[in-house]
Amino acid sequence: MTSGSQSVEAVVFDWGGTLTPWHEVDLPQQWRVFARTVHGLPVEDPAMPAEDLAEADSLALRIHEAEERAWKRGRATHESASLADILDAAGVDPEHDRHHLALAAYQRFWEPHTHTDEQVRPLWESLRRKGIRIGVLSNTIWTRDYHREVFARDGVLDLLDADVYSSEIHVVKPHPDAFHAVCDALGVAPERAVYVGDRLFEDVHGPQQVGMRAILVPHSDIPTNQRTAVDARPDAVADELLDVAGIVALWNHEATAHGATAHGATAHGATAHEAAAAGDGA
C-alpha cells in the first residue's frame, strides 16, 4: 500500500474488465473469423471445402500462437506488442486484397465485448466536477484510434483527459514507464494519481511501484495462465465502479484534514519559537 497524505488530482483507469464488464471470450475464434475472411470463406458454413477450411484454420492458429507469445512475453519482460506486430509475426500479408475486410470482421467479432460499463459516465462526471482529471492506461494490442472510437460510440470520450495504450509505447503494465507515461500525459505527479483496475499484478503492484495509489475492482475471472503471483495489497477495493468516487473523496478529505493539522502545528510552532526568541532578547 502507498502513502495517502497527498490529495488526488487524477484517476487513471484500466480498460478491459474495468471500464468494460468482464466477458468470457473464445479467443481462437477471433482469428478463425479473421482468417476465413482473408480466404473469402463464410465464418460458419458446413459446406465449406475441407481444403480451404484447413488452410484458413491453419492461418488462424498461427495468429493465435503469435498473440499468445506476445502476451506471454509482456508478462515476462513487459515488452509491448501491437496488432500489426502479431499479424506480421504470423506471416499475414497486409497488402492482401481482403486484409481490410478481415480486420473489419475481426472488429465486429469484438464489438459485443467492448461496451463501456453504464457506471462510467456518471463516475467520470462526478470526478470531473471535483476538478479531478480522468485517464486511461491499457495493456492492448489495439490502436489509440480504435479505443477512442469505442469511447466515442459509448458517449464518454468527451470526459477523457489523457489516454495511453501499450500498443503505442515500448512496455506494458506493470512496467513503471507505462504509469509514468500516463501521469506525464495528465500533467500530474504519480503521488497525486490513483489507478483503478481488476488485476493485482498489473493494476495494483504496477502503479504502487511509482507512488500511485491503487483501487482494485475485483470483478474479473482472470484465467490462470494470465495471472502472475505477486505480494501486493490495494489501497482500496471498489465493489462497483461508482464506489471509486467515494473512495477518492474520502482520501481528499483526509488529505485536506492532514494539511490543516500540519499547518496548525507549524503555525503553533512558529509562535512558540517567536515567543522564546522574544524572551531571550528581554
Side-chain angles (χ1 to χ4, degrees):
M1 296 178 68
T2 50
S3 172
S5 62
Q6 299 194 56
S7 61
V8 175
E9 296 179 355
V11 180
V12 183
F13 294 83
D14 170 53
W15 183 65
T18 301
L19 296 179
T20 65
W22 177 260
H23 282 204
E24 295 290 341
V25 179
D26 182 355
L27 295 177
Q29 179 65 9
Q30 65 180 319
W31 301 121
R32 287 192 289 269
V33 167
F34 178 94
R36 292 180 188 184
T37 305
V38 166
H39 284 269
L41 301 173
V43 173
E44 299 294 344
D45 184 352
M48 281 187 286
E51 184 176 340
D52 291 345
L53 181 60
E55 187 175 353
D57 286 354
S58 175
L59 173 60
L61 180 60
R62 291 202 308 274
I63 303 172
H64 178 66
E65 290 175 342
E67 184 186 19
E68 287 291 294
R69 289 194 299 272
W71 286 118
K72 184 176 181 180
R73 190 164 57 246
R75 287 188 289 273
T77 67
H78 310 323
E79 179 184 348
S80 66
S82 67
L83 177 59
D85 294 334
I86 289 166
L87 295 178
D88 181 65
V92 173
D93 179 9
E95 302 302 321
H96 191 285
D97 59 1
R98 297 187 63 83
H99 183 73
H100 291 295
L101 293 174
L103 286 176
Y106 167 82
Q107 290 184 355
R108 285 195 301 275
F109 169 86
W110 275 103
E111 193 273 338
H113 308 295
T114 62
H115 287 285
T116 303
D117 191 293
E118 63 183 11
Q119 293 190 5
V120 170
R121 186 165 186 92
L123 169 60
W124 286 7
E125 287 176 334
S126 173
L127 292 171
R128 284 175 67 92
R129 282 195 297 271
K130 295 178 176 66
I132 294 171
R133 280 161 272 182
I134 306 297
V136 167
L137 171 63
S138 175
N139 280 358
T140 180
I141 62 173
W142 297 338
T143 64
R144 169 187 300 269
D145 287 345
Y146 178 80
H147 282 282
R148 288 194 157 203
E149 287 172 7
V150 169
F151 288 136
R153 178 199 68 197
D154 295 344
V156 297
L157 181 61
D158 61 303
L159 299 174
L160 187 58
D161 293 298
D163 47 338
V164 173
Y165 305 99
S166 65
S167 59
E168 299 183 344
I169 60 176
H170 66 289
V171 293
V172 297
K173 301 176 297 180
H175 196 285
D177 286 357
F179 297 97
H180 283 300
V182 74
C183 287
D184 288 346
L186 286 163
V188 299
E191 295 78 13
R192 293 190 178 273
V194 172
Y195 194 80
V196 181
D198 63 328
R199 297 173 183 241
L200 277 174
F201 182 55
E202 293 90 344
D203 303 335
V204 173
H205 165 68
Q208 287 179 344
Q209 290 181 100
V210 301
M212 298 174 73
R213 276 167 280 185
I215 298 175
L216 181 69
V217 185
H219 292 172
S220 301
D221 185 14
I222 310 297
T224 302
N225 68 340
Q226 295 182 21
R227 298 180 186 178
T228 301
V230 64
D231 182 15
R233 291 177 56 200
D235 295 277
V237 175
D239 293 323
E240 59 180 6
L241 276 175
L242 284 173
D243 290 344
V244 170
I247 293 168
V248 171
L250 176 61
W251 284 341
N252 279 349
H253 173 75
E254 291 173 344
T256 300
H258 176 80
T261 301
H263 177 73
T266 301
H268 177 74
T271 301
H273 175 76
E274 290 165 359
D280 288 342

